[in-house]
Amino acid sequence: MRLAVLGAGAVGRSVLDLADDYGHSVTAFADSGSAAVDPGGLVPDPVLRRKERDDVVGDDDPEAVFDADYDVLVEATPTTLGDAEPGFTHVRRALEADRHVVLANKGPVAERYDDLRALERESAGEVRFEATVGGAIPVLSAIHDFGPDHITAARGVLNGTANFVLSRMAAEGLDYEHVLREAQDLGVAEADPTFDVEGTDAALKCVILANVLNGGGFSLDDAEVEGITTVPTSALDLAAEDGRTVRLIGEARPDGVRVGPRLVPQHGTLAVSGTQNIVQLETTHAGRLNISGRGAGGPETATAVLSDVSRLE
Amino acid sequence: MRLAVLGAGAVGRSVLDLADDYGHSVTAFADSGSAAVDPGGLVPDPVLRRKERDDVVGDDDPEAVFDADYDVLVEATPTTLGDAEPGFTHVRRALEADRHVVLANKGPVAERYDDLRALERESAGEVRFEATVGGAIPVLSAIHDFGPDHITAARGVLNGTANFVLSRMAAEGLDYEHVLREAQDLGVAEADPTFDVEGTDAALKCVILANVLNGGGFSLDDAEVEGITTVPTSALDLAAEDGRTVRLIGEARPDGVRVGPRLVPQHGTLAVSGTQNIVQLETTHAGRLNISGRGAGGPETATAVLSDVSRLE
């Protein structure tokens, strides 16, 4: 497949880098201010070097991407809330041109799922978004394979930053502010960690899970969200005395989405450590199914994008 | 889809019971000595009651199954080694009639994978076998979705009986013989537990994984297999002092299949407890992926069969 990749962050760059490994080529690549287009397929290294050196990816205008020869638009621009723009417009333009769309950007799938599916119905193109939930973890494929009708709930740890902070607080007895600064120094937390520590990122992923399980109808407004910013170290100490610990757990059920700090068994399935993610599916006839792995990272998330692309063939 | 189900053990009976939930019907159902056939779809309860009461499923000869109207043959007869008969012949007859085949029987997939694929190439029917590895755990789908080329190894705990015995030995400090009898009393271990405790069952599953990852070429003869019958309780005690425990770990790599008792971290990902199964996939770009859940059981394994059937449409 020929890919047009929008977004030159960690995920977009890794898609450019790994596409060839999956038998695909990138014919257009854009960041917010520039684009590189080559109908024969871009060579990754020069583009990535130029991005690093000059903060541009090529000589074209980003608009050139939509006129390029491509089969699949990969939407990997930053997640935005509310109208999910400009991501949503990118997706709309590709679908209106009867192209497939693969999203790593959570915005359009969490905030405008029903609009997205309506556009898809009018298009010869398909929409896929495995990369939006749990990075490398193939949770949406698992739900699809299992049949959403046979899954009653999905819950799990879906934000690596919050999980790292809680794991470290519990292991070292350090307070939230201290561990957050440490995580920022290590590059695990962003300079502005609001999205992660206040639960918004986990909530968006749970909203996407709720949409997939229920056939749409959910946006961030429907989620009850509580972050980890007020979890005291003393609560973790108390939990540990009882063989438990605290994790930021998100849950998607037919009746809604909830995200918040929860007590879980210290060595139990949900107590993944560090930046790991886990999703637990409650099934009608087969008990609980657990899938865990790296929930973020450029190459990890790019594999989810490229697996989606491969499934379009 | 219309299913012909061969085998009236726990899995076959659950397929009959749950098929309707998945939008399918069972038009023929056979145990080793009898069959029930109804082109309009069998009603499960009378058939299952008759099996329980009289140990026959209907008035027809098992041979009638092959003349029935069906789209998919579900092969759920007991696993046999070597030539994997009579399962292999059942599969051959369905494929030669251009029908699809879904297997819960590990024999033909582990022992005669290349023969199976050769028959599939000559048929309009397809062959699927998610249920043969890890019960409810959708490990083969995950490998398929991820792309076998991007997975370098698969390992895990694939036998619930052996795992139950090792878990209990470690938790209670009891010896192997004692725990095995307890497991037999609980119905977790069979009266003849050889297949499970000597590692054969786990090895067959790993051989299937090796065949899927490598495109065939493996049978049980290629596996190095060691069971748990000689693991002393003292070894578990020593391991515990070091924060570790023992699990029967199977591994499939391009160069072969190995199954044996291994030391693993006591609270680590591979140390699932009780009858749980886990599979860990090593990926080229996305680290380790872990999938765990119920590795056996009638309804659990039947969901894998029925998901396979749904994927054929």
Side-chain angles (χ1 to χ4, degrees):
Chain A
M1 293 279 207
R2 296 166 306 169
L3 314 183
V5 180
L6 285 180
V11 177
R13 294 199 306 272
S14 289
V15 171
L16 175 61
D17 193 35
L18 297 176
D20 184 55
D21 266 28
Y22 284 74
H24 309 298
S25 67
V26 176
T27 50
F29 185 70
D31 63 9
S32 57
S34 66
V37 176
D38 186 337
L42 291 162
V43 178
D45 281 354
V47 178
L48 295 173
R49 266 203 308 274
R50 192 159 169 195
K51 173 69 185 167
E52 203 170 336
R53 203 183 51 213
D54 309 327
D55 202 23
V56 295
V57 301
D59 296 322
D60 286 304
D61 184 89
E63 191 60 26
V65 166
F66 292 97
D67 300 321
D69 291 325
Y70 72 93
D71 306 300
V72 186
L73 184 84
V74 175
E75 220 310 325
T77 67
T79 295
T80 54
L81 305 183
D83 63 4
E85 293 293 5
F88 189 83
T89 295
H90 298 156
V91 170
R92 182 180 54 70
R93 292 179 67 179
L95 287 172
E96 284 175 358
D98 289 328
R99 300 300 199 282
H100 301 298
V101 173
V102 172
L103 292 112
N105 172 358
K106 292 177 278 292
V109 198
E111 294 288 57
R112 299 184 67 182
Y113 187 85
D114 299 339
D115 295 342
L116 192 66
R117 290 300 194 195
L119 286 173
E120 187 188 32
R121 280 193 294 275
E122 301 296 312
S123 172
E126 279 180 51
V127 177
R128 289 179 178 269
F129 43 88
E130 179 67 80
T132 61
V133 183
I137 306 177
V139 57
L140 301 183
S141 301
I143 291 173
H144 177 79
D145 282 337
F146 223 83
D149 292 350
H150 300 104
I151 295 171
T152 53
R155 79 174 66 81
V157 171
L158 286 162
N159 184 274
T161 304
N163 205 61
F164 178 88
V165 170
L166 290 172
S167 302
R168 287 285 295 167
M169 284 172 71
E172 307 295 333
L174 299 167
D175 67 24
Y176 171 76
E177 295 297 341
H178 184 106
V179 174
L180 179 62
R181 277 194 304 277
E182 183 190 78
Q184 287 170 321
D185 290 344
L186 288 168
V188 169
E190 314 244 356
D192 177 0
T194 318
F195 233 56
D196 297 313
V197 296
E198 293 194 344
T200 313
D201 175 73
L204 288 169
K205 291 165 181 168
C206 287
V207 166
I208 293 171
L209 288 169
N211 279 327
V212 168
L213 290 176
N214 299 296
F218 290 86
S219 73
L220 189 58
D221 282 345
D222 303 303
E224 278 176 42
V225 188
E226 189 190 336
I228 62 161
T229 56
T230 58
V231 174
T233 310
S234 60
L236 290 158
D237 292 344
L238 273 173
E241 283 173 25
D242 192 32
R244 297 195 280 179
T245 191
V246 177
R247 285 292 180 269
L248 182 67
I249 303 289
E251 188 166 41
R253 289 185 170 274
D255 63 346
V257 169
R258 267 170 297 274
V259 174
R262 308 275 184 258
L263 282 170
V264 299
Q266 202 164 14
H267 302 299
T269 311
L270 287 173
V272 290
S273 61
T275 58
Q276 290 272 300
N277 278 199
I278 183 165
V279 179
Q280 194 167 69
L281 303 175
E282 294 282 352
T283 72
T284 49
H285 302 298
R288 279 184 191 159
L289 215 63
N290 308 294
I291 319 183
S292 67
R294 296 188 189 164
E300 290 83 355
T301 309
T303 62
V305 168
L306 291 163
S307 298
D308 265 351
V309 170
S310 297
R311 277 189 286 264
L312 288 165
E313 291 179 305
Chain B
M1 293 277 208
R2 296 167 306 170
L3 314 183
V5 179
L6 285 180
V11 178
R13 293 199 307 271
S14 290
V15 170
L16 175 62
D17 193 34
L18 297 176
D20 184 55
D21 266 29
Y22 285 75
H24 308 298
S25 67
V26 176
T27 51
F29 184 70
D31 63 8
S32 57
S34 66
V37 175
D38 186 337
L42 292 162
V43 179
D45 280 355
V47 177
L48 295 172
R49 266 203 307 275
R50 191 158 169 196
K51 172 69 185 166
E52 204 170 336
R53 204 182 50 213
D54 309 325
D55 203 24
V56 295
V57 301
D59 296 322
D60 285 305
D61 184 88
E63 190 61 25
V65 166
F66 292 97
D67 300 321
D69 292 325
Y70 71 94
D71 306 300
V72 186
L73 184 85
V74 175
E75 221 308 330
T77 67
T79 295
T80 55
L81 305 183
D83 64 3
E85 292 294 4
F88 189 83
T89 294
H90 299 155
V91 171
R92 181 180 56 70
R93 292 180 66 180
L95 288 172
E96 284 175 358
D98 289 328
R99 300 299 199 282
H100 301 299
V101 173
V102 171
L103 291 113
N105 172 357
K106 292 178 278 292
V109 198
E111 294 287 59
R112 298 184 68 182
Y113 188 85
D114 299 340
D115 294 341
L116 193 66
R117 289 301 193 194
L119 286 172
E120 187 187 33
R121 280 193 295 276
E122 301 296 312
S123 172
E126 278 179 51
V127 177
R128 290 179 177 268
F129 43 87
E130 180 66 80
T132 61
V133 183
I137 307 177
V139 57
L140 301 183
S141 301
I143 291 173
H144 178 78
D145 283 338
F146 223 83
D149 292 351
H150 300 106
I151 294 170
T152 53
R155 77 174 69 78
V157 171
L158 287 162
N159 184 274
T161 304
N163 204 61
F164 177 89
V165 170
L166 290 172
S167 302
R168 289 283 297 165
M169 284 173 69
E172 308 294 332
L174 299 167
D175 67 24
Y176 169 78
E177 294 297 341
H178 183 107
V179 174
L180 178 62
R181 276 193 307 274
E182 183 191 75
Q184 285 169 322
D185 290 344
L186 289 167
V188 168
E190 315 244 357
D192 177 0
T194 318
F195 232 56
D196 297 313
V197 297
E198 292 194 344
T200 313
D201 175 72
L204 288 169
K205 293 165 181 166
C206 287
V207 166
I208 293 171
L209 287 169
N211 279 327
V212 169
L213 291 175
N214 299 296
F218 291 85
S219 74
L220 189 59
D221 282 345
D222 302 302
E224 280 176 40
V225 188
E226 190 189 336
I228 62 160
T229 56
T230 58
V231 174
T233 311
S234 59
L236 289 158
D237 293 343
L238 273 173
E241 284 173 25
D242 193 31
R244 297 195 280 179
T245 191
V246 176
R247 286 293 179 268
L248 182 67
I249 302 288
E251 187 166 41
R253 288 183 169 277
D255 62 345
V257 168
R258 265 170 297 274
V259 174
R262 308 274 185 257
L263 281 170
V264 299
Q266 202 164 11
H267 302 298
T269 311
L270 287 173
V272 291
S273 61
T275 58
Q276 291 272 302
N277 278 198
I278 183 166
V279 179
Q280 194 167 70
L281 303 175
E282 295 281 352
T283 72
T284 49
H285 302 298
R288 279 184 191 160
L289 215 65
N290 308 294
I291 319 183
S292 67
R294 296 187 189 164
E300 291 82 355
T301 309
T303 63
V305 168
L306 291 163
S307 299
D308 265 352
V309 171
S310 297
R311 278 190 285 266
L312 288 165
E313 291 179 306

